[in-house]
Amino acid sequence: MRDILPDDTGRWRRLNQVFADVVGAAGYGQIITPLIEDVGVFTRIGEATDVVTKELYAFEDRGGRHVSLRPELTASVCRAFAQHRPAALPWKVWYTGPNFRQEKAQRGRYRQFDQVGVEVLGVDDAHLDVEVIALASEFYAQLGLTQVTLVVNSLGEPENRAAYVSALEAYFADAELTDQSRATLARNPLRVLDSKRPEDAAAIAGAPQIAEFYSDEAAAHFDTVQAGLARLGIDFVVEPKLVRGLDYYRRTIFEFQGGTLDSAQNALGGGGRYDGLVEALGGPPTPGIGFALGVDRTLLACDDEGVFGADDRPLDVFVVDVVGGAEALAITAEIRAAGLSADRGFDGRSMKAQMKLANRSGAKYAIIVGEQEMADRTVIIKPMGPTDQFTTPRDEAAQLLVKMQTEASRTESDYP
Ligand code: HAM
């Protein structure tokens, strides 16, 4: 788990704002669910999922309740749907927040990580799959990322998927696999397709393909999704070996892969259709689809591509007071009340030391208060560039700075 420091938190906030704007424009409302749920909410994700068997931060609370920190939000959203039974369908929600998985931490893989995502419940229409995928694409585009590949696949209906899993079991039983993949085969045959080990490559390349098992309906659904993406001009790659790590998927699944990250951590986000989850959590049978995008990894990809950089936190005014500091107290308060940002020196430092701070702060103006200015009820305003400083009445300083600032920003926007 790690700290996100002020240099970075600004762009976390901006990233969330971009996401909220993109999904807000499509009619999604924000949902906030608890960080902790009954552990049963998450075991419904599937007993063959690492997220559930190995990575849950589950514990018994003081009341003897078996609870867990959430490893993701899809199960929580389905639990909320089952509990509140919204009448108007589809129910379109978005979320942002931290999740917890006991994983082996490395660059792009943390035990606490943030996701932004959406879930839509109550509609089975393939065009909704397209809408959901398009929202994630639009979000990456707005961040300025260009090296993101959309990979799609369909797992078919649950019966198709089950038939495919049996076929894989039979095929891999006689195939050349590493011991690790043999162990995976016993637990979750689909995940063998995820192996990145070169010794498994030949066996995986010859494995049966999921498309051979699609029902007509599942095939038609997937065709509609692909046609819709093409219609919106969204580039994608069909990857028949894409299986995703969670057990609840059926039909459409997708992943956004970053071009700059290590292949083990290159999934910037992913999602797909699921059903059965709302029902397993006590609600009516309800189709669902959604995605979650990893904020930590997305920002690493932004770093790698040199886009969506960290904020500089520009300050309007820095107040330098060499007559005890009480004047700075009042002046900074006035400037902030007038709508500008202001900081000041503390601890009675020398003029030179405070001017150094003013420079380092990135402020556009310094206000200087010395003995003479105190006596005259004036202050010196010093633009932090080549322009000369000047003296002005103390009580007019805040308004004058607001005026100068407004004029400066008007000039900037007139002459870009
Ligand atoms: P997921 O693939 O487990 O899907 O996670 C989605 C994204 O969260 C990943 O692509 C990755 O960017 C990020 N992520 C996952 N684990 C970590 C980690 N340990 N450290 C950093 N980032 C991580 C889900 O969570 C599903 N709930 C997505 C979904 C929503 N499916 C349907 N609706």
Side-chain angles (χ1 to χ4, degrees), residues 72 74 101 103 108 110 115 119 244 248-249 267-269 290 294:
E72 56 119 50
T74 310
R101 298 182 190 176
E103 300 208 65
Y110 310 105
Q115 289 180 338
E119 309 293 344
R244 306 251 321 119
Y248 45 55
Y249 293 115
L268 300 184

Side-chain angles (χ1 to χ4, degrees), residues 72-74 95 101 103 108-110 113 115 118-119 244 246 248-249 267-272 274 289-294 296-297:
E72 56 119 50
L73 278 121
T74 310
Y95 50 75
R101 298 182 190 176
E103 300 208 65
R109 190 176 291 279
Y110 310 105
F113 59 95
Q115 289 180 338
V118 305
E119 309 293 344
R244 306 251 321 119
L246 300 152
Y248 45 55
Y249 293 115
L268 300 184
Y274 48 87
I289 180 167
F291 63 71
L293 314 178
D296 310 70
R297 274 186 208 175

